[in-house]
Amino acid sequence: MESVTLDTINHYINGQKVKGKSDQVGYVYSPSTGKKIAEVPYATKEEVNEAIHFAKQAAKKWGNTSIGKRVEVLHRFRHLIVEHTEELARLIGLENGKTISDAKGEIGRGIESVDLAIGAPHILKGEHSANVGGEINAYSIKQPLGVVTCISPFNFPVMVPLAMSTMAVAVGNAMILKPSEKVPYSALFLSELWEQAGLPKGVWNVINGDKDTVQEIITHQDIEAISFVGSSKVAEIIYETGTKHHKRVNAFGGGKNHMVVMPDANLDKAVDSFIGAAYGSASQRCMAISTVMPVGEQTAETFKEKLKVKVEKLQAGSFDDEHADFGAVISQEAKQSILRDIEMALKEGANMLVDGRNPDVENKEGFYLGATLLDQVKPDMKVYIEEVFGPARIVVNVETLEEAIGLINDHQYGNGVTIFTNSGRDARKFTQEIEVGMVGVNVPIPIPVGYYNFGGWKSSRYGEGQMFGPDTARFFTKTKTISERWFDQKESDELTFDFPGTKD
Ligand code: NAD
């Protein structure tokens, strides 16, 4: 395995690292130090064409390779990820800024997707019915699509690419992965692991670039399906462009995830859950809790009192600092944008409960923000309407459960939500009436385990199909239904023009 002294980022095409030819480059920064650590040449149209050309050739063979052989590669891949977890976690920390323990958690969740894909032989089983007509059997099979692409965000450099792509490969497709240009190392590390696992050349390719590269990939005639994860603004663009070019598209966007705290909830558990779910990973998770809604004045007062003490103690720090609760945010631009959101909230009348704008950190050049908590946020404020992808969290006070459900249902996003309560009746009402894709009851982040489907509602997802779970296999395959009869050669042929019925 190559050591991590960083320079120019390669593409990975047809089983080889390929030096990018473009003059158009981006830069990778380590958020913990604020230092530039590598340059990334953005793939040209020719480089995209070349990768897709090799992928198309590889897809034909790979799709016809026995499922048992394909799964053998996946077993080895899983083993290699486990073996290299330390190295991979450091790489994630270096380029993304999250703490090593958080990065290991991410890798663990990514492995769940490999586990599910190892079960592809079971998931790929079709249906079969005997005697649907006179001596006719009907059955369905699931076939790979060919060359497919996944476009991933910066916040989960390993888990999201694994969740999007492993099943796609397992069911027989060839992959063009376009990782976030801010975190390209982890995807290339995964390429090395695929290679060591024995994946044939051309089945897995990594192309680096920005929006222009994405445009080349998603409009290419040989790309059959596009799976995208990122902000909602871009998800919408990808969905519109992809479907216009007749591709199968699912595009997962951002979120504004609420935690409702009922008067009968265990408040200590709710506070601890909020801390981890709201500030973990510097709040750069699509399923991070951004908004707490205590129900009733008394709940709000007690909850905020307990919460404030704990938020004040949270410490941002370098990815390799064992004492840090969370790391830096991804870039200087992201930091400035979060600071602007806080300023705007204060201007609009929010009340600062905990001010994390000037955190006490060792490395002043890193992109650090401390934990911020804003109270008295109203539903018409920008800080409530939009996703804030950093450690500025808000309190919206409500009087009743109905008011909480109404506000959440009116919100543009519908990724995740959770309720803390001891009432089964309130919990049931909430889970039934809430218009959000992933719902928790007394759990901090309602991200489903890898063998359940994952996906938000409303502006949090464009297109059909979910990811992580078995739906990934459906998304990356096409179903063929076959009706079949074998003649008795001794019978004479009968010519009929009737529409075939099922009772013949
Ligand atoms: P982003 O939308 O800026 O970028 C995502 C990917 O799209 C990157 O690979 C980027 O190169 C590409 N891209 C950017 N602009 C583009 C354009 N105009 N046209 C085509 N491609 C473009 O997202 P990000 O900042 O990397 O990630 C954070 C966002 O992702 C947050 O909004 C977060 O909520 C969301 N997210 C969602 C999920 C989910 O499952 N719903 C999971 C993780 C992250």
Side-chain angles (χ1 to χ4, degrees), residues 152-155 178 181 211 228-231 253-254 286 387 389 454:
S152 59
F154 79 81
N155 65 326
K178 207 301 286 173
E181 61 276 37
K211 59 181 171 42
F228 170 89
V229 177
S231 58
C286 62
E387 180 182 46
F389 217 52
F454 173 108

Side-chain angles (χ1 to χ4, degrees), residues 151-156 160 178-182 209-212 214-215 218 228-232 234-235 237-238 252-255 285-287 387 389 415 454 456 460 467-468:
I151 297 142
S152 59
F154 79 81
N155 65 326
F156 287 110
V160 168
K178 207 301 286 173
S180 164
E181 61 276 37
K182 296 184 183 109
D210 67 350
K211 59 181 171 42
D212 296 332
V214 171
Q215 187 70 15
I218 67 174
F228 170 89
V229 177
S231 58
S232 288
V234 181
I237 297 172
I238 301 284
F252 301 85
R285 293 178 181 140
C286 62
M287 290 290 278
E387 180 182 46
F389 217 52
N415 220 30
F454 173 108
S460 295
M467 68 166 167
F468 277 85

